[in-house]
Amino acid sequence: MVFVRTTPPRPVDVTAVFPELAPLARPAIRLHPRPGSPSIGESSVGGPLLWPAEEPWPHCEGTHVDSGFRESPAEVRLTRRRVARQLRDPHGPAFTPEEEAIKERNAAMLAERLDAGPPWPAECPVPMLPVAQLYLRDIPLLRPPGQADLLQVLWCPYDHNPGHKPSTALFWRSAAEVGDVLVAPPEPCEVNWWGYVPEPCLLAPEAITEYPNSLDLSPEMRLTVEDWSRWQAADVGVDSSYADYPAEFYNGNLADSPGWKVGGWPPWGRTDPNPRYCGVCDVQMVPLLTIASFEWDGGELRGWAPYEDRAAAYADSHYAGQDPAQPTKVEVGSTDNMQLYVCPTSPEHPHTDLIQ
């Protein structure tokens, strides 16, 4: 790892105000993805995978939702590079010679597919895209099966029902057992949405402690957290503007962290807590990975921005498509999070996911 990111201390020691919450503390690792050029030997988001050459690349054979979006991953990346370059040099050419060649090649491929007629490309098996690669040495919170020390996450870049979300696939493997590596994995002809093409990012894993969202608390504990007199009695300097809704201060500043992370507590909000159960052994599943649309927002969650990103997080404006809170360029749901859950008894049991 060549860089670090450091979460500022929480504005209040929550266990000093509510000692009852101490047993509910959970470890989490914030991944802090930032744009870079990861190698197959590094943990990453959207980077190349240490994939065995003799192992078939995963394809999605499910039923896809046609959004009408018609761009290849190469076109998405081309647009991002071009926008970033033009922001640096507004008077430069609209396209470089390399970009012109990519644009023409993509247009020719699209015309060929349209001339071919049905079936619609997404009705065929679709190559999946790399989402994350996590080495145990970097993310010790992982609990891989057997001798595995590497987790690889991919998804289909098309929406699936129910929930209009990309279908995901998890692979656990031992890095030492990988011999020849697949050099040029296949890519889908088109993607359902630009936000399904992750930007290659290096990671700066950081271990933190989280507490449950108030929706995950017992009814009695939820009432306690919502009791303004408890906050006053603790004399921890919480702004009196929260007197009518202290739970919002707790949820936004003290509970679960935003952004990409492993473990921790779920970031509820779109729905009430929705426990997931293993389809094999019926054990309640636990959060594995949170795939986030944003690392923080413009409100209270901005307080979770690392020290190293504070200036960018609190800047008055940013260029379109260059939001420092969206380094991966991933966007799921309505700027939501996709949570992946695994069985705590056996991570090899089928996982499940949920948009929040």
Side-chain angles (χ1 to χ4, degrees):
M1 300 301 159
V2 295
F3 69 100
V4 297
R5 288 295 184 270
T6 312
T7 301
R10 297 298 81 212
V12 171
D13 178 359
V14 69
T15 58
V17 184
F18 305 105
E20 308 96 313
L21 288 175
L24 301 179
R26 279 187 186 176
I29 294 182
R30 300 187 74 186
L31 300 182
H32 299 306
R34 298 296 183 269
S37 300
S39 71
I40 59 172
E42 295 177 290
S43 295
S44 66
V45 164
L49 304 185
L50 183 74
W51 195 270
E54 72 278 4
E55 185 175 327
W57 187 260
H59 286 62
C60 178
E61 299 186 7
T63 301
H64 303 97
V65 177
D66 183 4
S67 70
F69 191 81
R70 288 286 185 272
E71 285 191 13
S72 69
E75 288 175 294
V76 172
R77 299 183 188 111
L78 171 64
T79 299
R80 289 173 179 167
R81 290 200 303 270
R82 187 168 60 85
V83 169
R85 179 173 50 77
Q86 289 181 332
L87 290 174
R88 293 192 302 269
D89 181 13
H91 303 294
F95 292 91
T96 65
E98 178 189 8
E99 291 168 349
E100 285 284 4
I102 295 174
K103 180 183 175 185
E104 291 176 7
R105 184 166 63 250
N106 289 336
M109 291 173 59
L110 177 58
E112 183 179 341
R113 292 196 299 272
L114 292 176
D115 289 343
W120 177 52
E123 293 175 358
C124 306
V126 174
M128 304 185 91
L129 285 174
V131 174
Q133 175 167 268
L134 306 176
Y135 282 88
L136 181 61
R137 65 172 185 265
D138 301 323
I139 318 293
L141 200 57
L142 294 172
R143 295 292 179 266
Q147 299 302 307
D149 60 358
L150 176 61
L151 170 65
Q152 295 169 327
V153 181
L154 301 93
W155 66 20
C156 172
Y158 289 92
D159 278 331
H160 293 246
N161 283 321
H164 281 260
K165 58 187 177 182
S167 175
T168 54
L170 305 185
F171 294 86
W172 299 94
R173 67 175 79 252
S174 169
E177 294 179 359
V178 178
D180 293 336
V181 177
L182 184 63
V183 176
E187 281 202 332
C189 296
E190 300 166 351
V191 298
N192 205 132
W193 170 235
W194 67 267
Y196 293 167
V197 182
E199 191 73 9
C201 287
L202 294 164
L203 307 181
E206 177 196 20
I208 65 168
T209 299
E210 292 191 345
Y211 296 91
N213 184 286
S214 63
L215 295 175
D216 258 325
L217 299 175
S218 68
E220 296 77 18
M221 192 63 223
R222 195 180 308 164
L223 288 175
T224 301
V225 169
E226 294 173 351
D227 184 356
W228 178 242
S229 65
R230 282 287 297 267
W231 295 90
Q232 288 179 301
D235 192 26
V236 289
V238 176
D239 193 311
S240 61
S241 63
Y242 287 100
D244 292 333
Y245 42 92
E248 289 196 17
F249 175 81
Y250 168 78
N251 287 331
N253 296 277
L254 309 176
D256 54 286
S257 66
W260 289 66
K261 65 182 180 181
V262 168
W265 282 92
W268 302 116
R270 291 292 179 187
T271 70
D272 287 342
N274 186 357
R276 322 299 283 172
Y277 294 92
C278 177
V280 176
C281 61
D282 206 34
V283 171
Q284 184 169 340
M285 305 177 90
V286 295
L288 171 66
L289 174 66
T290 298
I291 298 170
S293 295
F294 288 88
E295 291 292 285
W296 59 80
D297 66 12
E300 282 185 307
L301 294 182
R302 190 162 53 177
W304 289 92
Y307 279 126
E308 298 81 359
D309 296 316
R310 300 289 273 185
Y314 283 87
D316 292 333
S317 63
H318 58 266
Y319 291 115
Q322 305 298 308
D323 190 342
Q326 198 180 31
T328 67
K329 301 297 189 288
V330 164
E331 191 167 316
V332 291
S334 298
T335 64
D336 296 316
N337 303 292
M338 173 178 273
Q339 303 162 253
L340 304 186
Y341 290 81
V342 291
C343 174
T345 303
S346 176
E348 292 178 297
H349 288 172
H351 74 288
T352 189
D353 54 51
L354 181 68
I355 295 287
Q356 274 297 307

